[in-house]
Amino acid sequence: MSRRVAIIGVGMSEFGELWDKSLRDITLEAGMYSIFDAEISGSEIDAIIIGNMSAGRFTGQEHLGALAADMGGLGNIPAYSVEAACASGGAAVRHAYMAIKSGEHDAMMVLGCEKMSDVNQTEAMKTISVASDWEWEGLFGATFPALYAFIARRHMMEYGTTEEMLAQVAVKNHANAAHNPWAQFQRPVPIEFVMGSGMLADPIRVLHSSPISDGAAGLIMCDEKTAKKYTDTPIYIESSTQASDTLALHDRRDICTADAVVHSSKSALKKAGLKIEDIDVFELHDSFTISEIMLTEDVGIAEKGKGGQVVLDGLTEIGGQFPVNTSGGLKARGHPIGATGVAQIVELALQLRGDCEGRQVEGAEKGLAVNIGGTGATSIVHILGR
Amino acid sequence: MAEHGVANIWRKQKSMYSIIGSKCTTCGEHYFPPRPVCPTCRRKGQLEEYQFKGLGKIHTFAVVRQAPEDFKRQVPYVVAQVELDEGARLTAQIVNIEPENVEIGMRVRSCFRKITEYGQGGIIVYGYKFEPTMKVTGHD
Ligand SMILES: [Zn+2]
């Protein structure tokens, strides 16, 4: 049997529009905090992997692996980045999982980062839209919010999903973020505020959308034996899975179902020997509130078409049966693209450690994260356990 | 930016001007844009060029009110997924109709329009948009 993979340290930079900080600053910050948290020596780290979508376009800097090894003073160890659009962070975690499981590496630093506020908003929008099929969607005027509006409008027509349901996702996630010290928006928003916010692409409003963010997140991951040297209570990765779908949303079998999420979450549960009822806490990729609704259905929390209703019923609140996005999610924690998949794992690890004061899911033992790229062309699922 | 290159548009002209995609003669499936491989038949697939009739219906749509530079001057505009009668879906703007009158299921046909222009001195990109079939058209 191959070895188990553990998480022994987590670190975050603050998330937000951080005009006084560069990509190097925030990436280094997340890495250093994760090393301090693990109480591991830098010399024990034998590789670095970074999730990042588009540092070249957002900041003019690529080659982030070498940059991180250099800035962190970690010497000559292998270091490189992986890209899967908004799922880049999840891809980095999965990459480290496979490298450690195979025995190639023993202790790795996993980073996710994006610095989006160095370009203006329209440039940022353009770069985000290259996560979809730019040549056949973006070029014809379909902005990223418009693509999610396609899903929302269809979901509303087929299942009776309402504007109130879309808004309630934002209300819930903002309420959670109020207790997350790293979140971009640490304040609740009333539902009228969400429902009255400006339109990006009808029916998607500004407050249905994740923001432009800067931020970085880090993990120290290692094999079980190494983990035991540093902690008696490591968090384990019980399974890691990934699936793909068509790049363009218009080529999907059904635009209201993310097949890649259905496949990857099913196989993640199976590999971990768990059922959806066994999961205590979820981080689901809510780049727009409609995506949380859709993912709630696709992982099996709600039947297809009922994802909006379960939010109104409080099922996905902290204290509900299936708490979703205790961190505030992409909506309120912020969505520095490459950092998101790693930040999701940070939140789940903290939840399982019992370190989420104010937003703790009592006694949480298993957590599941879904990180998607584009409009669901990539889905990466991790299940954590303690 | 790379995507503003002339060759990027030039090599797609056929598909963008005339909605030319591909049809797999093995399974009968139509694809737009043209695909290099039939995802159903893969190695057994036989793809040939196919010119779509340009008729279809609106599968879903959005009214874009905030757009990046290339489309800023056009807001608000309607962008939709059109389900072509042959089966494939594509993404295109809907013109010659007020945004509030657009509906899912509405019959549309293709028309040749300016899509965008790449800033001052940049190229002008032409291609397909769609308009309602039920109305005699003016210009947009
Ligand atoms: Zn075929």
Side-chain angles (χ1 to χ4, degrees), chain A residues 9-318:
Chain A
V10 301
M12 297 268 290
S13 77
E14 62 175 319
F15 278 24
E17 287 195 29
L18 312 172
W19 294 352
D20 55 339
K21 287 179 182 170
S22 70
L23 181 67
R24 312 182 176 216
D25 296 333
I26 55 178
T27 308
L28 182 67
E29 213 175 298
M32 296 302 272
Y33 282 134
S34 62
I35 284 190
F36 298 154
D37 184 53
E39 296 180 334
I40 195 171
S41 149
S43 59
E44 278 237 42
I45 309 281
D46 59 11
I48 303 174
I49 182 95
I50 303 188
N52 177 269
M53 172 175 156
S54 218
R57 293 176 71 121
F58 282 127
T59 71
Q61 178 69 55
E62 295 282 13
H63 207 174
L64 300 188
L67 183 144
D70 183 7
M71 293 302 118
L74 292 173
N76 304 113
I77 59 174
Y80 54 96
S81 54
V82 292
E83 186 272 329
C86 328
S88 300
V93 176
R94 180 165 159 74
H95 221 89
Y97 171 83
M98 294 188 292
I100 293 165
K101 205 168 174 59
S102 73
E104 181 69 17
H105 291 296
D106 293 327
M108 291 178 72
M109 178 184 284
V110 180
L111 295 167
C113 61
E114 209 78 56
K115 170 79 191 168
M116 299 168 72
S117 74
D118 274 0
V119 294
N120 67 36
Q121 204 179 343
T122 53
E123 258 183 271
M125 270 183 93
K126 181 82 184 278
T127 296
I128 293 166
S129 74
V130 305
S132 64
D133 187 341
W134 188 82
E135 287 195 64
W136 299 101
E137 294 181 314
L139 176 61
F140 290 87
T143 60
F144 211 56
L147 294 170
Y148 277 92
F150 286 171
I151 298 173
R153 193 178 291 275
R154 195 77 206 174
H155 205 279
M156 290 164 118
M157 190 199 79
E158 288 186 27
Y159 305 113
T161 299
T162 64
E163 280 213 41
E164 191 192 354
M165 292 170 183
L166 296 178
Q168 189 56 36
V169 173
V171 171
K172 168 181 72 71
N173 292 349
H174 272 266
N176 292 348
H179 303 285
N180 181 354
W182 294 288
Q184 184 162 355
F185 302 116
Q186 295 172 38
R187 55 174 187 271
V189 295
I191 193 158
E192 308 79 55
F193 206 70
V194 180
M195 294 184 77
S197 62
M199 279 290 184
L200 293 175
D202 310 21
I204 300 287
R205 293 175 185 276
V206 174
L207 287 180
H208 295 155
S209 168
S210 52
I212 303 278
S213 316
D214 306 326
L219 300 167
I220 304 298
M221 286 172 52
C222 60
D223 67 289
E224 190 172 17
K225 203 168 125 215
T226 308
K228 289 281 166 64
K229 287 200 300 192
Y230 294 98
T231 173
D232 295 328
T233 55
I235 304 300
Y236 291 103
I237 297 188
E238 308 280 10
S239 60
S240 168
T241 60
Q242 181 167 348
S244 307
D245 204 339
T246 62
L247 182 61
L249 183 67
H250 55 227
D251 283 334
R252 303 278 163 81
R253 177 184 65 80
D254 166 17
I255 66 167
C256 293
T257 304
D259 281 343
V261 173
V262 174
H263 294 310
S264 51
S265 57
K266 231 178 229 164
S267 63
L269 286 166
K270 193 172 168 208
K271 280 187 179 174
L274 297 169
K275 292 193 177 62
I276 194 77
E277 296 78 23
D278 300 325
I279 307 294
D280 304 301
V281 56
F282 296 82
E283 286 285 306
L284 303 182
H285 195 102
D286 58 322
S287 43
F288 294 87
T289 56
I290 185 63
S291 48
E292 181 174 315
I293 289 176
M294 183 168 72
L295 265 46
T296 303
E297 300 162 352
D298 295 343
V299 302
I301 290 175
E303 298 172 38
K304 187 45 70 187
K306 296 283 186 343
Q309 191 56 46
V310 299
V311 182
L312 289 189
D313 294 345
L315 196 74
T316 53
E317 282 170 12
I318 296 168

Side-chain angles (χ1 to χ4, degrees), chain A residues 57 122 125-126 134-136 139-141 149-150 153-154 157 199-202 249-252 255, chain B residues 1 3-4 12 33 35 59-61 63 65-66 70-72 77 79 81 89 91 115 118 128:
Chain A
R57 293 176 71 121
T122 53
M125 270 183 93
K126 181 82 184 278
W134 188 82
E135 287 195 64
W136 299 101
L139 176 61
F140 290 87
F150 286 171
R153 193 178 291 275
R154 195 77 206 174
M157 190 199 79
M199 279 290 184
L200 293 175
D202 310 21
L249 183 67
H250 55 227
D251 283 334
R252 303 278 163 81
I255 66 167
Chain B
M1 272 177 280
E3 63 268 25
H4 279 185
K12 288 185 298 195
R35 277 185 177 268
H59 183 67
T60 183
F61 68 97
V63 185
R65 296 183 195 274
Q66 274 194 34
D70 296 341
F71 289 92
K72 234 177 192 169
Y77 62 86
V79 63
Q81 280 185 4
R89 260 187 256 134
T91 298
I115 304 291
Y118 291 157
Y128 49 81

Side-chain angles (χ1 to χ4, degrees), chain A residues 332-356:
Chain A
R333 177 187 55 219
H335 181 30
I337 305 177
T340 284
V342 180
Q344 289 180 323
I345 302 301
V346 168
E347 176 69 8
L348 291 183
L350 290 170
Q351 282 286 355
L352 303 193
R353 277 161 41 166
D355 287 342
C356 288

Side-chain angles (χ1 to χ4, degrees), chain B residues 4-131:
Chain B
H4 279 185
V6 175
N8 182 309
I9 298 299
W10 171 75
R11 58 180 175 253
K12 288 185 298 195
Q13 249 176 26
K14 222 155 87 174
S15 289
M16 288 182 66
Y17 287 6
S18 314
I19 319 191
I20 289 175
S22 38
K23 180 184 176 176
C24 175
T25 54
T26 308
C27 68
E29 201 73 43
H30 294 80
Y31 298 104
F32 187 84
R35 277 185 177 268
V37 176
C38 172
T40 307
C41 310
R42 291 202 282 267
R43 199 179 305 186
K44 296 196 183 73
Q46 287 285 343
L47 290 169
E48 59 180 37
E49 239 179 51
Y50 178 82
Q51 172 150 20
F52 284 84
K53 292 188 182 69
L55 293 169
K57 59 176 196 241
I58 294 179
H59 183 67
T60 183
F61 68 97
V63 185
V64 177
R65 296 183 195 274
Q66 274 194 34
E69 215 56 50
D70 296 341
F71 289 92
K72 234 177 192 169
R73 285 174 52 205
Q74 302 182 35
V75 292
Y77 62 86
V78 178
V79 63
Q81 280 185 4
V82 174
E83 189 172 306
L84 298 166
D85 287 349
E86 293 89 341
R89 260 187 256 134
L90 55 70
T91 298
Q93 284 189 44
I94 306 295
V95 293
N96 279 339
I97 182 170
E98 292 302 318
E100 56 272 23
N101 296 331
V102 178
E103 279 172 22
I104 288 178
M106 182 176 265
R107 292 286 302 166
V108 289
R109 66 170 167 235
S110 64
C111 49
F112 185 73
R113 288 289 187 280
K114 180 165 101 178
I115 304 291
T116 181
E117 48 193 294
Y118 291 157
Q120 256 190 336
I123 60 165
I124 298 173
V125 181
Y126 292 95
Y128 49 81
K129 292 187 180 179
F130 282 72
E131 62 184 358

